[in-house]
Amino acid sequence: MSSTAADTHAHGDPHSHGALAWIMRWITTTNHKDIGTLYMCFSLLMLFIGGAMALLIRAELFQPGLQFFNPSFFNSMTTVHALIMVFGMIMPAFAGFANWFIPLMIGAPDMALPRLNNWSFWLLPFAGALLLMTLFMPGGGPAGGWTLYPPLVLQTGDAFPFAMFAIHLLGVSSILAAINIIVTIMNLRAPGMPLLKMPMFVWTWLITAYLLLLAMPVLAGGVTMLLTDRFFGTSFFAAAGGGDPVLFQHIFWFFGHPEVYVIILPAFGIISEVIPTFARKPLFGYAAMVYATASIAFLSLVVWAHHMFTVGMPLAGQLFFMLTTMIIAVPTGVKIFNWTATLWKGSLTFETPMLYALAFLFLFTLGGFSGLMLAIVPADIQYHDTYFVVAHFHYVLVPGALFGAFAGAYYWMPKMTGHMYDETLGKLHFWLTTIFVNVTFFPQHFLGLAGMPRRIPDYSPQFADFNMISSIGAFGLGAAQLIFLYTIVKCIRGGPKATAGVWEGSHGLEWTVPSPAPHHTFNDPPEIK
């Protein structure tokens, strides 16, 4: 044996040591940028897994009749698609941005609780894997819709307890991340940065974190009661034992409605950073934006039963939930107005982040209008559980939350990678995504108004044309995301170096316009006064 071979035999392959050190570095990291990157990589993976499930759903609905799947598998697909997209994709994406940029925006050295930060991320892959494994268990995956309504969800096979445990883990991860964000913002701001001088992205995340702390334990309680009903003989939701399935709806939606705002408020924060940058003006009405965000969050806690107008609610309850739901349109309208006013007479340029922000502004507003239609009790009784509702919330969550995430990804990609992304590819991704989002979800409004129920694998022939258009749009939308993946990989591997003021052009603009926060770039902490 040669001396080199003997050394390798004695000490192991140095390359394997290097690989192990690299893996351990990512597993044990407490650096906020590393953890933010991990969140985003996980989110991207879940985008493609959840998106593949959506394509299976749309393939089945391409024409009437059962094409590929039995109804129970279809139910499992709709359930797991929604849970993966909400808990596995969009929330981790925004948590990634929060980890990366909140410390930089407030002049903090890192997140306040770095090891807790590591743990809150590493719960996610295990929870996501557990949720996906339920699809391969005897009796099929969980099948109660993402709302997990009993008694349907209690009839799921062996997958049921595993799905509930996965939801518990996902909730614990969210609660830990929320605690960390609140402590970081409250305790680690640079001197000279009071709360009303913070960038809007930081504000939206602070409010979101409080919403998470209020809403998530409610879901945990609800799914725990489901578990005891199934395995320990309780009757919380079983009418035969004196329980009430409508009770579960109250518990779920007391979590579920704030959850919608947990998803959309960070997107509002990103849009509030992007629009001022590319309009080259400070954000119009900064204080009003902060108060509007807080108002939206508060109101989101008192409107939950607008999802339940068909359960036999007393008239006083219907009126209360109808009116409070409509009032939410006021602070939301303030935000839309302020973003539009920021654009007014600005020196606009239309790079990819700005295109996503403008599409967000228009299409999210459309989703808000259909939400107002659903808030009206007699109308909602007609729309309830039809594809109109599917169209409404996908307009809120795809051109709303997802476009916000895309805007943030393109806006901060140069900061995160050190390289400029390919603007042509970015714009191609934008246009294909925007066109196909509308081809996919706009026809679903008409399907719902014509009476097509949601969550069904088969349907009457009169719905065939719009379903076919919707399915074609979905496959186009899925294909467009491959461009996004390629753009990210290409940007990480190289490209023009990003400058300190990457979006400045000839305007001398900094990384953000965090009006009216202390003037600083992300590379230099705010000056200490």
Side-chain angles (χ1 to χ4, degrees):
M1 188 186 287
S2 71
S3 61
T4 312
D7 287 344
T8 304
H9 181 73
H11 301 292
D13 182 359
H15 293 297
S16 67
H17 277 302
L20 183 64
W22 185 83
I23 291 167
M24 289 307 295
R25 179 230 151 165
W26 283 100
I27 290 175
T28 60
T29 181
T30 53
N31 178 286
H32 70 99
K33 293 180 181 177
D34 285 351
I35 294 171
T37 303
L38 286 169
Y39 267 114
M40 287 184 213
C41 292
F42 177 76
S43 167
L44 195 62
L45 176 65
M46 290 294 120
L47 173 67
F48 283 98
I49 292 174
M53 292 179 182
L55 295 186
L56 292 177
I57 292 166
R58 287 314 320 173
E60 178 58 63
L61 293 170
F62 186 74
Q63 58 189 41
L66 292 175
Q67 327 299 323
F68 306 108
F69 312 121
N70 63 39
S72 69
F73 179 78
F74 185 87
N75 282 349
S76 299
M77 274 293 101
T78 53
T79 303
V80 179
H81 158 71
L83 292 171
I84 286 286
M85 285 305 207
V86 169
F87 292 110
M89 196 287 291
I90 198 68
M91 288 168 70
F94 290 134
F97 289 128
N99 265 292
W100 246 97
F101 295 106
I102 287 175
L104 299 179
M105 286 178 166
I106 64 173
D110 202 304
M111 296 296 278
L113 307 164
R115 283 179 286 196
L116 187 80
N117 202 13
N118 175 285
W119 192 37
S120 65
F121 169 75
W122 281 111
L123 284 169
L124 279 179
F126 293 97
L130 191 61
L131 190 57
L132 291 171
M133 284 191 320
T134 60
L135 292 169
F136 306 100
M137 292 178 182
W146 84 284
T147 51
L148 310 169
Y149 281 177
L152 181 61
V153 77
L154 296 171
Q155 293 156 12
T156 306
D158 295 350
F160 170 73
F162 292 93
M164 296 303 105
F165 184 54
I167 288 167
H168 268 304
L169 286 177
L170 292 162
V172 171
S173 168
S174 297
I175 289 167
L176 297 180
I179 291 168
N180 204 356
I181 286 166
I182 291 168
V183 175
T184 302
I185 294 170
M186 287 307 193
N187 289 351
L188 295 186
R189 295 195 309 284
M193 185 184 274
L195 285 173
L196 280 172
K197 296 265 185 175
M198 296 193 308
M200 271 308 300
F201 179 71
V202 182
W203 256 116
T204 54
W205 247 116
L206 179 64
I207 292 165
T208 299
Y210 277 110
L211 266 187
L212 272 169
L213 288 189
L214 288 164
M216 272 295 172
V218 179
L219 177 68
V223 299
T224 304
M225 291 156 85
L226 281 175
L227 284 166
T228 61
D229 270 15
R230 170 78 179 267
F231 296 107
F232 296 101
T234 56
S235 295
F236 291 113
F237 311 125
D244 184 359
V246 174
L247 170 64
F248 181 82
Q249 295 194 27
H250 281 289
I251 293 170
F252 180 85
W253 286 114
F254 190 81
F255 147 79
H257 199 77
E259 170 63 22
V260 174
Y261 290 93
V262 163
I263 291 169
I264 202 68
L265 290 182
F268 286 175
I270 291 171
I271 300 303
S272 298
E273 301 293 333
V274 170
I275 285 180
T277 298
F278 296 99
R280 284 151 181 97
K281 280 175 62 188
L283 184 66
F284 179 88
Y286 168 87
M289 291 293 257
V290 172
Y291 297 132
T293 308
S295 307
I296 289 167
F298 171 74
L299 288 167
S300 78
L301 293 164
V302 296
V303 298
W304 75 90
H306 66 212
H307 298 270
M308 300 168 52
F309 285 147
T310 57
V311 302
M313 199 185 296
L315 184 62
Q318 291 182 334
L319 279 171
F320 172 82
F321 287 109
M322 175 170 79
L323 295 172
T324 49
T325 304
M326 294 171 108
I327 288 168
I328 279 198
V330 176
T332 309
V334 168
K335 294 182 85 68
I336 301 286
F337 176 83
N338 286 13
W339 286 322
T340 310
T342 306
L343 295 169
W344 180 251
K345 294 194 174 177
S347 176
L348 304 183
T349 53
F350 299 101
E351 289 86 351
T352 310
M354 183 61 154
L355 291 175
Y356 271 112
L358 294 173
F360 169 98
L361 211 58
F362 180 72
L363 296 173
F364 174 77
T365 305
L366 191 69
F369 279 131
S370 59
L372 271 178
M373 293 168 70
L374 290 162
I376 301 164
V377 177
D380 179 78
I381 289 168
Q382 302 300 314
Y383 305 139
H384 190 80
D385 263 346
T386 69
Y387 257 78
F388 189 85
V389 179
V390 179
H392 156 68
F393 76 68
H394 280 89
Y395 262 91
V396 172
L397 295 185
V398 182
L402 185 61
F403 276 25
F406 283 151
Y410 284 107
Y411 183 56
W412 284 315
M413 207 184 297
K415 172 64 184 168
M416 293 188 285
T417 63
H419 300 286
M420 197 61 200
Y421 65 87
D422 186 324
E423 189 66 58
T424 307
L425 282 177
K427 285 182 173 164
L428 180 65
H429 174 233
F430 166 77
W431 284 109
L432 289 176
T433 300
T434 305
I435 290 164
F436 283 123
V437 158
N438 287 289
V439 172
T440 306
F441 298 115
F442 203 78
Q444 293 178 6
H445 291 100
F446 305 133
L447 287 169
L449 293 174
M452 180 174 162
R454 66 200 277 200
R455 297 179 180 164
I456 52 164
D458 189 11
Y459 52 86
S460 303
Q462 71 261 32
F463 303 128
D465 291 350
F466 280 135
N467 267 301
M468 187 175 287
I469 293 167
S470 189
S471 291
I472 290 167
F475 278 90
L477 179 59
Q481 303 326 303
L482 296 172
I483 299 170
F484 181 56
L485 183 63
Y486 176 70
T487 307
I488 294 171
V489 172
K490 185 179 176 193
C491 183
I492 291 168
R493 289 173 66 110
K497 287 283 184 196
T499 54
V502 66
W503 298 118
E504 64 185 359
S506 58
H507 298 268
L509 212 76
E510 302 292 353
W511 265 96
T512 57
V513 184
S515 56
H519 181 75
H520 64 279
T521 70
F522 280 167
N523 299 320
D524 307 306
E527 65 189 56
I528 295 172
K529 295 185 179 162

